[in-house]
Amino acid sequence: MSSKSRFLQKLQSQQSGNTASENKGQADIAEFRRRMSELQKRADEWLAGTGGRTEHPSVSLVELLTGGRPFSMPGLVLHYDARCVKFIPIFLYGQGVTGCVDVTLCADGKSEPLCRLFMRTAEQADWTYTLAGMPTGRRRALNEDAFFEIIDSLLP
């Protein structure tokens, strides 16, 4: 095999790898969007009849590992009187997770981190979370009971 043939074969192999990586990135972005939309729907159901209201803003993210192009992601804001809890996607890949969401209480002109949600980790395919101030702490499953524990500070 000539040097040129080896070079072209190596180039083709590398380009195929880039395409596979881009496809995985696009699939992960689509999954993050889908899972955030599901979280919005569940939050709406869980909060029905509580007097709280929800808002579904769109958030722009940039992920360097998927080409550095911005993409939109659904967010979630829970309001009760003048207080709110924001669920804002912050990154797709990092810290051994796929899909990370910051959860923050906004009240009295201040923001206080409550926890971080993770869409998928090496250990768990479902939503998990860690409390603020304990980023290396044990990740817990996000369910209805955990959701209300997280947003408890929404009520004064």
Side-chain angles (χ1 to χ4, degrees):
M1 180 182 281
S2 73
S3 297
K4 180 179 179 181
S5 296
R6 279 193 301 275
F7 177 81
L8 292 175
Q9 187 177 27
K10 187 176 177 181
L11 179 62
Q12 183 180 11
S13 173
Q14 188 175 24
Q15 289 173 339
S16 296
N18 287 345
T19 301
S21 179
E22 286 175 18
N23 289 342
K24 182 189 180 327
Q26 293 305 312
D28 285 340
I29 290 169
E31 177 71 0
F32 198 13
R33 280 187 184 123
R34 184 184 70 75
R35 299 276 300 277
M36 282 301 297
S37 294
E38 285 177 357
L39 183 61
Q40 288 175 334
K41 183 179 176 188
R42 273 194 270 159
D44 287 342
E45 291 169 0
W46 290 338
L47 290 169
T50 64
R53 68 178 175 82
T54 60
E55 178 185 349
H56 303 145
S58 182
V59 177
S60 182
L61 293 181
V62 174
E63 178 57 58
L64 297 177
L65 297 175
T66 61
R69 291 181 302 275
F71 57 93
S72 64
M73 188 64 53
L76 173 64
V77 181
L78 312 176
H79 295 274
Y80 187 81
D81 290 337
R83 301 165 73 92
C84 68
V85 173
K86 296 180 178 183
F87 291 71
I88 304 298
I90 57 170
F91 61 79
L92 181 62
Y93 298 125
Q95 303 173 349
V97 304
T98 303
C100 181
V101 176
D102 265 348
V103 180
T104 306
L105 171 68
C106 298
D108 303 321
K110 299 177 188 169
S111 293
E112 177 187 340
L114 298 175
C115 71
R116 273 201 169 163
L117 302 182
F118 306 102
M119 178 182 79
R120 184 171 66 228
T121 65
E123 316 82 46
Q124 183 74 21
D126 293 326
W127 284 107
T128 57
Y129 71 99
T130 57
L131 296 173
M134 303 175 79
T136 58
R138 184 177 69 86
R139 292 187 180 119
R140 302 177 199 174
L142 180 68
N143 55 31
E144 184 176 12
D145 196 49
F147 175 80
F148 281 102
E149 283 180 26
I150 291 168
I151 68 163
D152 184 63
S153 56
L154 184 60
L155 300 177

